[in-house]
Amino acid sequence: MNQSTEQSKRAATLREQINLHNQSYYQFDDPQISDAEYDLLLRELQALEEKHPELIRLDSPTHRVGAPPLKIFEEVRHVVPMLSLNNAFSDEELVDFGRKVQEKMGNTSTEYIAEPKLDGLAISLLYKEGVLVQAATRGDGKSGENVTENIRTVHDIPLRLKGDFPVRLEVRGEVFMSKRGFEKLNQQAEEKGEKLFANPRNAAAGSLRQLDSKITARRSLSFYCYGYGEFPEQNLPENQIDLLEKFNQWGLPVSPEVELVHGIDGCIAYYKEMENRRSALAYEIDGVVFKVNNFSSQRLLGSIARAPRWAIARKFPAEEAITTILDIDVQVGRTGAITPVARLAPVFVGGVTVTNATLHNIDEIRRKDVRIGDKVVVRRAGDVIPEVARVLLDKRAPSTRLFNLPAQCPICQSAIEKTEGESVSRCSGGLFCSAQQKEAIKHFSSRKAMDIDGLGSKLVEQLVDEGLIQNIADLYNLQLEPVMALERMGKKSAENLIAGLEKSKQTTLAAFIFALGIRDIGEVTAQTLANHFGSLGAIKAANEEALLETQDVGPIVAKHLITFFQQPHNLEVIDRLQQAGITWDDVIIDSTRELPLQGKTIVLTGTLERFSRDQAKKALQELGAKVSGSVSSKTDYLVAGNNSGSKLDKAAKLNISVLDEDQLSELLLGKP
Ligand code: IVH
């Protein structure tokens, strides 16, 4: 063998090995060799290519590490314009879009492809003979910037396609940065004292528009494709879903959240599902996109101005908005925790008008350097309590003021204390503090606890403020007349309250333990304790050793339980509650037999007809099951009601048993 064939063979072997290691590292998170060993392989290939430029191939992994810096980006004209999308901000606007599609198509139920709307930037990739030869940004839709060198460093994007692809094709998709990648990048920037990126979208755009692709190579960018530009007519499949399938076969990544849905009802259900799952996704999405699935229908519908008539983006309400902090107060929680709260100039965010946002604790205030009068970004994601995300420091006025925690509880004047090593400060007043009294009573009466109908939080405040009650046991001594006499209370509401109290007396052991509001005892731990010990007497009597035998109970929780049941005040309240008539059936524990669903993890999805989600969850938990919110390899069963969405697909992929509502009933009745 002469020297040049030997070298070209070595280069090919190195390329293959490096590609495999890239796959293990970037796709499977499972590196097979050390970074140093990897570097050796890469450097050997780089040296070979430097010495013998004829060995350089467009799909060589050496391009992944970046090329010499550019002076400027060249312009690329898009042969097929890169369009934008029309937006729908409500279900009505979506229905309107569906109606127009239907009118034009004349059929009754159109198939749509539902895709997440990735929050990054649109990119066009040109492949010739399966090799990536050019990548461009969208620009103004007619021409964009040539970012080929940078795009080659994005590991999700294949430098060479697999399988049977058209000779020339242009793929379009979104380059974006994962939430984790973004956090890491900002953390590094913070350590170096550099400017932070505002969001993953800006970080992705900033990373891709680097003239030095070696910088891009160090940023963790991802890619999903969702469309095509130049594409030979004869190779185009019938539907968008088939095209995405082809992309996958060619090695181009497609979002696993993509679904085929029927009619606008299907679109609305998908939107709702993604809205719920949004915060759990690894990357940011700002809505979902619906596209008519069939390509000939798409052609018939055509485009107007810069957007197609066959697609629409249903946008989520913005989760962040800018406003001003008017003042900072503190709130006292059920366990005395002091939470500083920013009073804001009203601002519309996450679909509602927000006037308060949590600042968590004093350490957070210092870390974010929040001051009264600051312009801030307020964030409200899903059902999470609105929070002050960050301060716009460059907009800070000289008149802003520092905030300090008060030394005394604003409600009961007891000292505020902070335990070393904890970030939370607490009011030391205990149940002497009326704020803590109120919160304890609100918790006791809440739906998942004693579920007292007719007792909302406003009424609790009124009852405490008027001196009618001080603690949870006092609730059951309430008489009709004094309640009726309260401001804004009629006879009817007072009667409702008394009836609600009466009804709440029949409860379960788990709900009662949860209702007591013992620190760190949530719904699930309360259920576990009830299942494990069977009676309140047994829980009260349990020592640390016995408690630690319970699943999920660690030393801290055990300590809270013991302390709680040692306090005479608490024991007296429990006695009074039982004397007032609160009862439950003790849980029968047969120590020779485990609970039938012990150790099983079950996920509920879709709408059930005979049960509410909460009822089904409670019933399953009573039989020992763990009810979780998302499907994973640890899931034993997925219970799927009507309109179940992507959880079903995930369960199918992971080979998890799916139960319908009848099978759920059988499971609850203990049938095999
Ligand atoms: S399709 C003709 N699909 O949203 C259709 N766009 O607001 C053109 N985007 O420029 C785009 N996810 O950057 C499409 N699944 C998706 C998308 C998506 C994100 C972006 C894309 C586009 C912008 C339009």
Side-chain angles (χ1 to χ4, degrees):
M1 196 167 14
N2 69 28
Q3 209 194 357
S4 79
T5 28
E6 209 171 290
Q7 275 155 350
S8 115
K9 269 202 169 162
R10 179 68 189 149
T13 313
L14 284 168
R15 277 197 298 268
E16 191 188 346
Q17 281 184 339
I18 295 169
N19 280 333
L20 280 173
H21 289 306
N22 278 345
Q23 196 177 29
S24 311
Y25 186 94
Y26 289 99
Q27 284 181 25
F28 306 130
D29 277 337
D30 183 23
Q32 303 294 323
I33 53 172
S34 70
D35 288 1
E37 287 168 298
Y38 175 88
D39 278 346
L40 273 181
L41 293 176
L42 193 69
R43 265 190 248 143
E44 188 185 343
L45 182 59
Q46 276 171 331
L48 260 177
E49 288 180 348
E50 224 163 85
K51 239 170 120 191
H52 306 279
E54 73 280 4
L55 294 178
I56 300 180
R57 296 246 310 256
L58 279 174
D59 64 348
S60 170
T62 50
H63 298 304
R64 296 271 195 216
V65 294
L70 301 170
K71 295 264 179 317
I72 48 156
F73 294 111
E74 286 166 25
E75 185 185 287
V76 172
R77 289 200 74 76
H78 301 300
V79 177
V80 181
M82 286 182 83
L83 298 182
S84 183
L85 289 166
N86 286 325
N87 293 322
F89 290 98
S90 65
D91 288 350
E92 289 73 46
E93 286 178 25
L94 196 55
V95 169
D96 209 43
F97 159 79
R99 197 175 35 73
K100 287 186 190 137
V101 168
Q102 222 105 100
E103 274 169 17
K104 186 95 180 173
M105 302 304 308
N107 61 1
T108 48
S109 180
T110 307
E111 271 186 356
Y112 293 97
I113 285 293
E115 304 172 358
K117 188 169 192 302
L118 305 155
D119 204 5
L121 58 157
I123 290 292
S124 140
L125 305 175
L126 186 63
Y127 286 89
K128 279 193 200 158
E129 317 229 350
V131 177
L132 176 70
V133 292
Q134 181 183 283
T137 60
R138 175 170 176 273
D140 63 3
K142 293 196 192 82
S143 61
E145 288 173 324
N146 186 332
V147 287
T148 315
E149 293 304 344
N150 292 349
I151 281 295
R152 284 203 175 108
T153 71
V154 178
H155 282 264
D156 284 356
I157 298 179
L159 299 178
R160 171 183 285 280
L161 301 179
K162 298 186 290 195
D164 194 14
F165 40 77
V167 178
R168 182 184 168 94
L169 87 147
E170 183 195 347
V171 178
R172 289 176 179 176
E174 196 89 347
V175 167
F176 58 95
M177 192 177 279
S178 69
K179 292 177 189 167
R180 227 177 97 209
F182 169 69
E183 272 161 25
K184 263 207 228 145
L185 181 61
N186 263 359
Q187 210 178 328
Q188 284 163 4
E190 198 170 355
E191 277 159 19
K192 288 191 215 143
E194 289 169 2
K195 203 167 161 350
L196 304 190
F197 287 104
N199 52 47
R201 207 203 91 81
N202 287 0
S207 303
L208 209 56
R209 295 197 67 265
Q210 290 287 340
L211 289 166
D212 184 353
S213 52
K214 292 201 171 59
I215 297 180
T216 316
R218 275 184 250 125
R219 307 280 171 86
S220 65
L221 293 171
S222 304
F223 177 78
Y224 282 136
C225 48
Y226 49 64
Y228 66 95
E230 283 184 75
F231 204 99
E233 186 79 43
Q234 69 276 12
N235 291 89
L236 199 64
E238 240 179 85
N239 300 310
Q240 165 85 356
I241 190 97
D242 308 322
L243 179 70
L244 296 180
E245 179 56 41
K246 287 216 150 145
F247 282 165
N248 245 330
Q249 285 165 9
W250 298 334
L252 289 156
V254 174
S255 163
E257 314 299 335
V258 171
E259 264 180 47
L260 186 67
V261 298
H262 297 273
I264 289 298
D265 286 350
C267 295
I268 292 176
Y270 180 86
Y271 172 80
K272 295 232 161 74
E273 165 131 21
M274 290 306 277
E275 202 177 24
N276 288 332
R277 300 201 21 234
R278 179 183 189 185
S279 57
L281 293 178
Y283 44 84
E284 297 260 355
I285 62 175
D286 58 345
V288 290
V289 183
F290 301 110
K291 299 172 182 169
V292 170
N293 186 29
N294 186 269
F295 285 135
S296 45
S297 305
Q298 287 189 4
R299 272 188 290 272
L300 204 74
L301 285 155
S303 303
I304 18 165
R306 288 151 48 97
R309 281 203 205 85
W310 45 262
I312 193 144
R314 170 74 168 95
K315 298 273 284 217
F316 292 136
E319 287 186 327
E320 290 192 347
I322 292 170
T323 188
T324 308
I325 296 190
L326 304 176
D327 205 351
I328 300 178
D329 294 345
V330 298
Q331 247 170 23
V332 187
R334 176 162 59 83
T335 57
I338 301 282
T339 309
V341 177
R343 307 292 171 205
L344 307 170
V347 62
F348 191 74
V349 52
V352 298
T353 300
V354 165
T355 51
N356 301 313
T358 180
L359 289 158
H360 301 290
N361 55 56
I362 194 74
D363 293 350
E364 277 286 294
I365 295 187
R366 295 288 176 259
R367 194 178 66 79
K368 291 178 179 158
D369 189 15
V370 181
R371 302 187 193 176
I372 300 166
D374 267 337
K375 281 229 174 319
V376 292
V377 174
V378 174
R379 189 173 165 77
R380 180 181 181 273
D383 290 336
V384 181
I385 305 170
E387 62 166 357
V388 171
R390 57 190 176 275
V391 177
L392 302 177
L393 287 174
D394 44 358
K395 299 239 160 49
R396 174 168 283 169
S399 58
T400 57
R401 285 180 291 130
L402 272 175
F403 167 81
N404 289 308
L405 272 188
Q408 289 167 338
C409 169
I411 309 294
C412 73
Q413 271 67 51
S414 305
I416 288 180
E417 291 166 352
K418 190 168 176 221
T419 315
E420 199 56 51
E422 254 196 71
S423 45
V424 197
S425 311
R426 288 178 200 277
C427 157
S428 58
L431 285 179
F432 167 72
C433 174
S434 72
Q436 292 187 49
Q437 288 169 2
K438 288 175 184 171
E439 293 311 312
I441 299 168
K442 287 181 201 171
H443 170 78
F444 181 80
S445 74
S446 63
R447 206 163 45 84
K448 289 178 175 161
M450 298 300 285
D451 194 15
I452 305 176
D453 285 341
L455 184 57
S457 38
K458 281 265 149 25
L459 183 52
V460 171
E461 308 217 341
Q462 235 179 330
L463 290 166
V464 174
D465 289 341
E466 294 301 318
L468 294 186
I469 55 173
Q470 277 190 330
N471 62 39
I472 51 181
D474 296 341
L475 276 172
Y476 292 92
N477 293 344
L478 280 172
Q479 302 294 319
L480 191 65
E481 284 72 30
V483 175
M484 257 168 65
L486 290 174
E487 221 175 295
R488 291 186 308 272
M489 272 301 267
K491 182 157 183 247
K492 189 91 197 97
S493 325
E495 279 173 354
N496 282 348
L497 172 62
I498 304 293
L501 283 163
E502 202 50 42
K503 199 176 118 219
S504 73
K505 288 180 181 171
Q506 182 62 45
T507 183
T508 62
L509 176 56
F512 184 73
I513 294 168
F514 175 58
L516 290 176
I518 307 165
R519 245 172 95 182
D520 291 338
I521 307 293
E523 233 191 309
V524 177
T525 314
Q527 185 69 62
T528 318
L529 287 166
N531 289 347
H532 186 89
F533 289 99
S535 72
L536 183 64
I539 300 174
K540 273 200 229 168
N543 59 13
E544 183 177 0
E545 199 186 343
L547 288 169
L548 288 177
E549 274 173 27
T550 326
Q551 209 188 348
D552 297 340
V553 172
I556 294 176
V557 172
K559 191 173 139 245
H560 290 329
L561 280 162
I562 291 169
T563 317
F564 184 89
F565 288 116
Q566 269 171 355
Q567 292 191 12
H569 165 81
N570 292 335
L571 296 176
E572 185 203 313
V573 166
I574 293 174
D575 270 352
R576 282 180 58 203
L577 289 168
Q578 289 189 292
Q579 270 162 29
I582 290 183
T583 59
W584 56 84
D585 292 332
D586 281 348
V587 183
I588 300 160
I589 22 178
D590 174 354
S591 56
T592 57
R593 201 184 64 115
E594 282 211 326
L595 286 166
L597 297 179
Q598 192 73 49
K600 296 275 184 243
T601 302
I602 300 181
V603 177
L604 298 165
T605 188
T607 333
L608 299 170
E609 277 165 12
R610 277 164 278 156
F611 311 85
S612 72
R613 277 260 183 114
D614 272 339
Q615 284 169 334
K617 184 171 166 188
K618 228 179 192 157
L620 288 166
Q621 283 172 341
E622 275 171 15
L623 296 179
K626 189 169 163 211
V627 179
S628 150
S630 59
V631 176
S632 74
S633 57
K634 297 205 182 79
T635 310
D636 294 288
Y637 300 112
L638 174 72
V639 176
N642 295 330
N643 293 323
S644 300
S646 55
K647 288 200 182 116
L648 256 183
D649 297 342
K650 186 137 187 222
K653 269 188 211 140
L654 296 172
N655 247 334
I656 286 160
S657 313
V658 178
L659 307 181
D660 63 16
E661 191 159 348
D662 287 336
Q663 288 167 309
L664 169 66
S665 300
E666 285 172 14
L667 196 66
L668 292 175
L669 292 172
K671 293 192 189 150

